[in-house]
Amino acid sequence: MAAYDLSLRVWRGDSDSGDLQDYTVGVEEGMVVLDALHRLQQTQAPDLAVRWNCKAGKCGSCSAEVNGRPRLTCMTRLNLFAPTDTVTVTPLRTFPVIRDLVTDVSYNYEKAAQVPAFAPGAPAGDDGHHRMKQSDVDRVQEFRTCIECFLCQTVCHVIRDHEENKPVFAGPRLMIRYAELEMHPLDTHDRRDLLRGRAGIGYCNITKCCTEVCPEHISITDNAIIPLKERVVDTAYDPITRLGNRILRRRR
Amino acid sequence: MSTSERHTYDVVVIGAGGAGLRAALEAHEQGARVAVVCKSLLGKAHTVMAEGGIAAAMGNVWPEDNWQTHFRDTMRGGKMLNQWQMARIHAEEAPARVWELEEWGAVFDRTPDGRILQRDFGGHRFARLAHVGDRTGLELIRTLQNRLISKRIDVFMECTVLRLLTVPGAADRPGAGRASDEPEALSAPARERSSARVAGRIAGAFAYWRESGTFVRFDAPAVVLATGGIGKSYQVTSNSWEYTGDGHALALWAGAALMDMEFVQFHPTGMVWPPSVKGILVTEGVRGDGGVLLNSEGRRFMFDYIPPVFAAETADSEEEADRWYTDKKTARRPPELLPRDEVARAINAEIKAGRGSPHGGVHLDIASRRDPEYIRRRLPSMYHQFTELADVDITREPMEVGPTCHYVMGGIKVDPSTAAATVPGLFAAGECAAGMHGSNRLGGNSLSDLLVFGRRAGLHAARYAQSLPAHKRAVADDAQIDATAAAALAPFAAALTPGSAQAGTASAEGTASSAGGTTSARDSAGTSVSPSHPPENPYQLQNDIQDVMQRLVGIIRTESELVRALKEIETLRSRARHVAVVGHRQYNPGWHLALDLGSLLTVAECITTAALARRESRGGHTRDDYPSADPAFATLNHVLRLRDGRLVLTTEPLPAMPPELAALFEDAGAESRADRGAPAGGKGS
Ligand code: SF4
Ligand code: SF4
Ligand code: FES
């Protein structure tokens, strides 16, 4: 694939109004969608609003919808499309637009602020430090690879077209945050009431759309949400288990 | 002016990378009212890109390790130009900072007996980098970020600081009047301490919101700068767009001193292909985990580049080097794990000699040395990065790599123990501070640096603020605000009315503005439009700055090129006065870039000026015309300040190490002593 002229269609506008605009941008081998957007900025649209930081798939800033699919624009190679294809880039649909491709993602930060902090128990080692086996933290580490790109949040149908669900559902990204804490070998908090309540885990009906778009390939549904649902159900409907848990926890 | 938004804090932390977050947490812990102000969203700072790990002598893998060995490695890596007090504090406190992260929720990779696992890295005698695969920086940021959120600390996201606010006079002398021109008012020693210039003290910061383009003012007696580095002044860099040297420039403009600015680290292994990803980092962990560097002839060329100072502890055969990964007692370390400056220069030399790889790098091969399963587990992001961006499967074929601008050792001159800059009320930590790494930083010492000194900066900023009762907290005059705001908006006028006279405003106090002249809003001078000069495009200007630095102030430097660079920077500075932006103030990247040009030009001039003055080669500064280390330069640091708007360079003697620490270097051989240069106390020229 040598250099060619890419037909790029970009949503331009702000919170009041906006529409798709067509551009032709010269691109070369190896370029990603974000490169094409930058070139557009440098040559034709200097005020095109785009959020990005690392350009290496590590910070999760550059999320947008490319031909309707939520993606990291810095990790989306142009050779995914035929040179004759029009590539359409639009802002994440689930969040309010600030300008062009930049959206207001504060919903995610608000939900994060509701998660009770990590609360470790006493260290097990005689040197005053904790001990954890690698096999006990593998799962937690999987969740902690999350780069907070919010692609899973934007694709989740519970909130994608349902503004009314945002107050009652924290979204898949936050589900793995809860899961990470719940499954952390050292943590002593019990967040299950919260999960059932304010985080609204019951709204998820396991469509797995979130898992499909995760650029970190985190098994959001299978490894986080389903096990959390099981835990929540246990405590909700089984008073004996619940009592047992309480007693066990207190002994810790 | 649209400056109605105003906030009052005890401590304002600028930057939300590891250093900034750690500083904010500590200041909060001390009871101070804290705000974090950052250019991006919380959790996106450049720290997330740190891959390898946090260097700390915890001794989990090698019980023999201790702070003295870490201190020694750090000083030798920095070619003995480090401020020894900082290197010592860092080595002593790093383990506590790592364990504290675990207490706050970080989940490091584990040893078989359940402790924090530590990995090998260049320049470190023992495996001492606490890590999480190759995404340690992300782990660090998330841990600090989550704690910050749980402490309900105020964060101003996507908010960029344009200048620091100051009031005249030192904090302990309220009502001393406009002391900035009255050095007589100070005792002679005090005058010497402050280099005969009392710039005043900090009163806050002035910023704009990206989202709305409106201004916001912070009144605070203490400011912590934690803004990271300067990589975006180079074309090929591993750094994100934020790394425009803001903290360096803000400090300089506020009257503070910078130090060691000639030392820029080019990381040996950045991606070289495809062009659009050129510069993206390939972690040193690849080499730490067994990867080797090969030239086009398939030769492990690093054996040809072992400098005498490291010969005693570096393997001289492939057999010994390979054995070292499992047997550190009898085998010496592979030359691929020499400090970064050595490896970067070697790669540069191989490429220049025509033994490079097809796309102008060299080969980094782990595929033929470790099994695919191991590679994917140890280096998941590298595997991912190469498959996604370069169609290279690193478990099957070698990577192509070459040097990339990665880190600046130089920065704001700080007190080793309190992180205080030379202006009262100003503190700095992390990459934007100088002294810890000397002339070259070891891998892994950055994350530990920002934890150790981030905490100290937050601690001392809080104490300083708390020592000032409310009535002693002077408030900056509105003139600083008005001048900065007017200058920041000038590029819009320049675009709207090409040909009109003086669309911008001259700075209200033109003398205290920029390094050697005036540029954009960042150094509070005006943009002006002259009929004869066409409007300048900020993207083009940034590109041209990067081009000058890459071409003339890169890995290998020489006098004539540095002199030319200074001239070209001057030209760019005058062009930048005509920068024009289109559109409006809401989230306008063209405008934001126009406002960054002032910092970029300032750091470019600082790096070049210091590089010209250092007529020797040491660490991250290599001179073609002075290829070896010179004892005369071994004991002095270059310090830069603004005087009457001009950049002034002075030399300061390196503090001498106490005998018990100096003794740690005794057995390191004569070369090391030569490297250390003249005995301590030698005068700077
Ligand atoms: S699996 Fe649940 S959280 Fe994920 S997208 Fe579907 S409904 Fe949303
Ligand atoms: S879970 Fe995956 S998709 Fe969701 S925010 Fe994290 S990295 Fe992005
Ligand atoms: S810019 Fe960081 S993930 Fe795309």
Side-chain angles (χ1 to χ4, degrees):
Chain A
M1 181 177 76
Y4 68 100
D5 284 339
L6 171 74
S7 305
L8 192 60
R9 187 171 289 172
V10 182
W11 193 89
R12 304 288 312 264
D14 54 26
S15 51
D16 296 331
S17 64
D19 50 29
L20 291 169
Q21 292 192 14
D22 287 302
Y23 301 93
T24 304
V25 182
V27 295
E28 290 116 45
E29 181 172 16
M31 278 174 64
V32 293
V33 171
L34 184 61
D35 290 319
L37 293 169
H38 279 159
R39 186 153 292 175
L40 179 59
Q41 246 180 3
Q42 281 160 18
T43 54
Q44 304 170 47
D47 60 341
L48 170 66
V50 180
R51 203 184 254 136
W52 68 287
N53 278 61
C54 68
K55 209 172 123 25
K58 292 195 163 70
C59 74
S61 305
C62 62
S63 306
E65 305 198 356
V66 183
N67 291 352
R69 184 186 161 95
R71 288 179 176 278
L72 295 179
T73 56
C74 76
M75 296 300 279
T76 306
R77 294 276 293 274
L78 287 173
N79 64 7
L80 210 66
F81 316 98
T84 48
D85 286 353
T86 296
V87 174
T88 305
V89 190
T90 50
L92 297 179
R93 190 161 100 199
T94 304
F95 308 116
V97 167
I98 292 174
R99 199 174 161 205
D100 301 342
L101 299 177
V102 175
T103 55
D104 175 359
V105 292
S106 50
Y107 162 76
N108 304 289
Y109 287 93
E110 283 153 23
K111 292 295 174 188
Q114 296 172 355
V115 184
F118 173 66
D126 49 14
D127 54 0
H129 301 300
H130 298 290
R131 295 286 188 275
M132 290 186 275
K133 286 256 175 277
Q134 182 64 44
S135 53
D136 293 336
V137 298
D138 279 340
R139 183 53 47 81
V140 178
Q141 285 188 332
E142 176 194 356
F143 300 147
R144 288 181 70 93
T145 59
C146 169
I147 58 173
E148 300 201 326
C149 63
F150 309 131
L151 292 179
C152 57
Q153 302 285 82
T154 198
V155 84
C156 174
H157 68 97
V158 178
I159 47 177
R160 186 167 168 92
D161 289 313
H162 296 278
E163 200 59 31
E164 71 280 9
N165 283 343
K166 283 188 182 170
V168 293
F169 185 58
R173 189 287 172 253
L174 270 298
M175 291 300 155
I176 65 161
R177 170 79 180 128
Y178 280 99
E180 159 208 323
L181 289 163
E182 281 296 295
M183 298 177 198
H184 195 304
L186 301 178
D187 186 67
T188 57
H189 268 166
D190 186 345
R191 299 172 184 76
R192 285 175 294 184
D193 285 343
L194 202 59
L195 265 171
R196 207 172 24 242
R198 244 193 330 184
I201 192 168
Y203 281 84
C204 163
N205 56 353
I206 321 188
T207 57
K208 302 197 182 184
C209 316
C210 50
T211 306
E212 270 167 39
V213 296
C214 177
E216 290 295 310
H217 308 296
I218 302 170
S219 301
I220 304 172
T221 1
D222 288 352
N223 288 350
I225 296 180
I226 293 173
L228 283 181
K229 275 178 175 275
E230 282 164 2
R231 288 186 186 207
V232 165
V233 166
D234 283 355
T235 51
Y237 300 112
D238 185 348
I240 307 289
T241 322
R242 195 171 184 184
L243 193 62
N245 278 342
R246 285 279 156 86
I247 292 166
L248 271 179
R249 277 188 187 275
R250 214 166 275 153
R251 278 208 199 115
R252 275 217 319 221
Chain B
M1 272 313 143
S2 36
T3 55
S4 47
E5 187 179 353
R6 192 164 173 171
H7 304 275
T8 305
Y9 287 96
D10 295 325
V11 177
V12 168
V13 177
I14 304 175
L21 297 183
R22 189 62 189 82
L25 285 169
E26 190 64 24
H28 172 86
E29 196 68 24
Q30 299 297 317
R33 287 201 61 222
V34 189
V36 176
V37 183
C38 52
K39 263 167 116 170
S40 289
L41 296 174
L42 183 59
K44 309 300 183 192
H46 195 60
T47 308
V48 300
M49 298 193 62
E51 291 162 350
I54 313 173
M58 299 188 287
N60 287 355
V61 174
W62 293 91
E64 299 89 330
D65 201 6
N66 55 30
W67 75 258
Q68 286 91 342
T69 314
H70 191 184
F71 167 77
R72 181 174 169 275
D73 291 345
T74 301
M75 294 292 298
R76 295 187 66 203
K79 302 294 183 314
M80 308 304 285
L81 210 67
N82 324 48
Q83 302 290 305
W84 67 266
Q85 302 100 315
M86 289 180 88
R88 178 189 176 141
I89 289 170
H90 166 260
E92 283 178 330
E93 294 183 359
R97 298 285 80 79
V98 176
W99 277 312
E100 175 180 87
L101 283 183
E102 179 159 275
E103 201 62 34
W104 295 348
V107 186
F108 293 101
D109 288 353
R110 317 305 299 180
T111 62
D113 65 345
R115 298 165 202 259
I116 295 173
L117 181 60
Q118 301 186 269
R119 74 151 45 114
D120 281 308
F121 236 54
H124 292 281
R125 172 126 170 68
F126 296 108
R128 66 162 73 98
L129 267 68
H131 63 277
V132 188
D134 52 6
R135 53 163 195 92
T136 313
L138 177 69
E139 187 70 18
L140 189 153
I141 279 284
R142 267 317 161 259
T143 304
L144 296 178
Q145 169 187 351
N146 288 330
R147 191 167 172 84
L148 198 85
I149 291 171
S150 73
K151 299 285 177 190
R152 306 269 181 256
I153 294 173
D154 294 347
V155 185
F156 294 76
M157 295 191 232
E158 299 198 315
C159 187
T160 306
V161 173
L162 289 166
R163 79 174 279 167
L164 300 177
L165 304 177
T166 53
V167 289
D172 52 351
R173 301 166 59 246
R178 308 194 70 80
S180 53
D181 296 309
E182 296 175 4
E184 301 76 23
L186 294 170
S187 65
R191 197 189 311 167
E192 235 165 64
R193 255 205 324 275
S194 64
S195 302
R197 187 177 190 271
V198 180
R201 60 185 154 116
I202 292 299
F206 183 61
Y208 72 90
W209 290 104
R210 294 181 89 74
E211 177 173 341
S212 61
T214 57
F215 296 114
V216 48
R217 168 183 183 155
F218 298 92
D219 291 305
V223 166
V224 177
L225 290 171
T227 53
I230 56 94
K232 276 294 164 189
S233 52
Y234 286 84
Q235 224 153 37
V236 180
T237 177
S238 62
N239 293 174
S240 80
W241 69 267
E242 299 190 279
Y243 266 38
T244 49
D246 294 357
H248 293 77
L250 289 171
L252 193 74
W253 299 333
L258 305 185
M259 190 172 83
D260 291 342
M261 287 302 288
E262 61 270 45
F263 299 113
V264 177
Q265 179 168 82
F266 291 84
H267 193 290
T269 58
M271 292 176 79
V272 296
W273 192 92
S276 72
V277 302
K278 193 163 181 173
I280 293 182
L281 194 67
V282 178
T283 177
E284 192 168 321
V286 175
R287 283 169 284 141
D289 287 339
V292 294
L293 292 164
L294 305 172
N295 63 17
S296 58
E297 296 158 5
R299 181 176 168 77
R300 254 179 100 171
F301 59 85
M302 279 310 301
F303 286 100
D304 308 333
Y305 294 90
I306 302 169
V309 58
F310 292 109
E313 58 205 58
T314 308
D316 53 14
S317 72
E318 297 198 17
E319 179 278 321
E320 182 183 0
D322 290 345
R323 192 154 43 84
W324 174 85
Y325 287 98
T326 46
D327 168 16
K328 294 194 171 55
K329 293 246 158 56
T330 68
R332 294 170 298 175
R333 33 193 319 117
E336 282 84 4
L337 290 176
L338 282 166
R340 289 177 175 171
D341 54 330
E342 312 286 355
V343 183
R345 269 193 301 270
I347 293 176
N348 201 56
E350 286 296 308
I351 298 169
K352 272 201 167 161
R355 294 187 291 270
S357 62
H359 298 101
V362 295
H363 291 295
L364 173 60
D365 175 30
I366 191 165
S368 70
R369 298 176 46 85
R370 297 287 183 267
D371 65 69
E373 165 58 25
Y374 177 89
I375 297 170
R376 272 194 294 266
R377 184 167 52 78
R378 298 287 297 174
L379 303 160
S381 356
M382 284 306 107
Y383 175 72
H384 192 59
Q385 182 172 314
F386 273 88
T387 25
E388 305 264 319
L389 294 176
D391 296 323
V392 168
D393 178 351
I394 67 168
T395 66
R396 301 161 58 104
E397 50 193 322
M399 298 158 249
E400 272 189 80
V401 296
T404 177
C405 177
H406 184 55
Y407 191 88
V408 62
M409 273 64 74
I412 299 153
K413 185 177 190 297
V414 291
D415 179 87
S417 122
T418 64
T422 53
V423 171
L426 188 61
F427 299 79
E431 187 170 353
C432 72
M436 161 65 205
H437 306 288
S439 69
N440 174 54
R441 174 174 73 78
L442 293 185
N445 271 0
S446 177
L447 294 183
S448 43
D449 169 17
L450 52 83
L451 291 170
V452 167
F453 293 103
R455 176 184 153 276
R456 282 178 170 260
L459 174 70
H460 293 284
R463 284 194 186 154
Y464 171 85
Q466 286 160 345
S467 75
L468 287 177
H471 69 276
K472 284 193 180 179
R473 295 188 178 186
V475 171
D477 56 25
D478 289 342
Q480 294 174 46
I481 306 279
D482 293 343
T484 311
L489 296 176
F492 287 109
L496 282 175
T497 54
S500 78
Q502 297 300 312
T505 49
S507 165
E509 7 112 73
T511 52
S513 59
S514 79
T518 54
T519 57
S520 69
R522 275 303 183 75
D523 30 7
S524 16
T527 293
S528 60
V529 180
S530 79
S532 57
H533 201 293
E536 291 278 354
N537 173 345
Y539 295 97
Q540 188 59 47
L541 278 166
Q542 186 195 33
N543 199 56
D544 293 351
I545 296 169
Q546 293 169 341
D547 174 62
V548 170
M549 294 305 283
Q550 190 78 31
R551 226 174 352 105
L552 304 174
V553 200
I555 303 188
I556 312 287
R557 302 155 177 182
T558 193
E559 175 153 339
S560 57
E561 294 189 345
L562 293 170
V563 170
R564 179 138 41 97
L566 281 177
K567 288 215 185 74
E568 294 194 17
I569 291 166
E570 208 37 57
T571 310
L572 287 165
R573 197 185 285 283
S574 31
R575 282 177 53 200
R577 278 183 213 125
H578 306 280
V579 70
V581 298
V582 301
H584 46 82
R585 285 167 69 176
Q586 281 89 51
Y587 220 111
N588 184 339
W591 182 41
H592 306 151
L593 183 56
L595 297 179
D596 285 344
L597 293 174
S599 319
L600 282 170
L601 285 164
T602 298
V603 294
E605 184 181 356
C606 289
I607 294 168
T608 313
T609 303
L612 190 58
R614 187 168 284 274
R615 291 186 297 279
E616 66 155 355
S617 294
R618 181 181 301 271
H621 170 70
T622 306
R623 288 279 299 256
D624 220 12
D625 42 355
Y626 300 95
S628 46
D630 180 347
F633 280 98
T635 53
L636 62 87
N637 299 103
H638 285 142
V639 175
L640 293 161
R641 289 184 183 80
L642 276 188
R643 291 234 178 88
D644 302 325
R646 294 193 59 78
L647 196 61
V648 178
L649 179 134
T650 53
T651 57
E652 289 188 11
L654 194 66
M657 235 189 278
E660 72 272 17
L661 290 182
L664 292 170
F665 300 89
E666 291 301 288
D667 55 352
E671 296 84 358
S672 149
R673 274 192 290 280
D675 203 65
R676 237 182 309 154
K683 279 271 173 315
S685 57

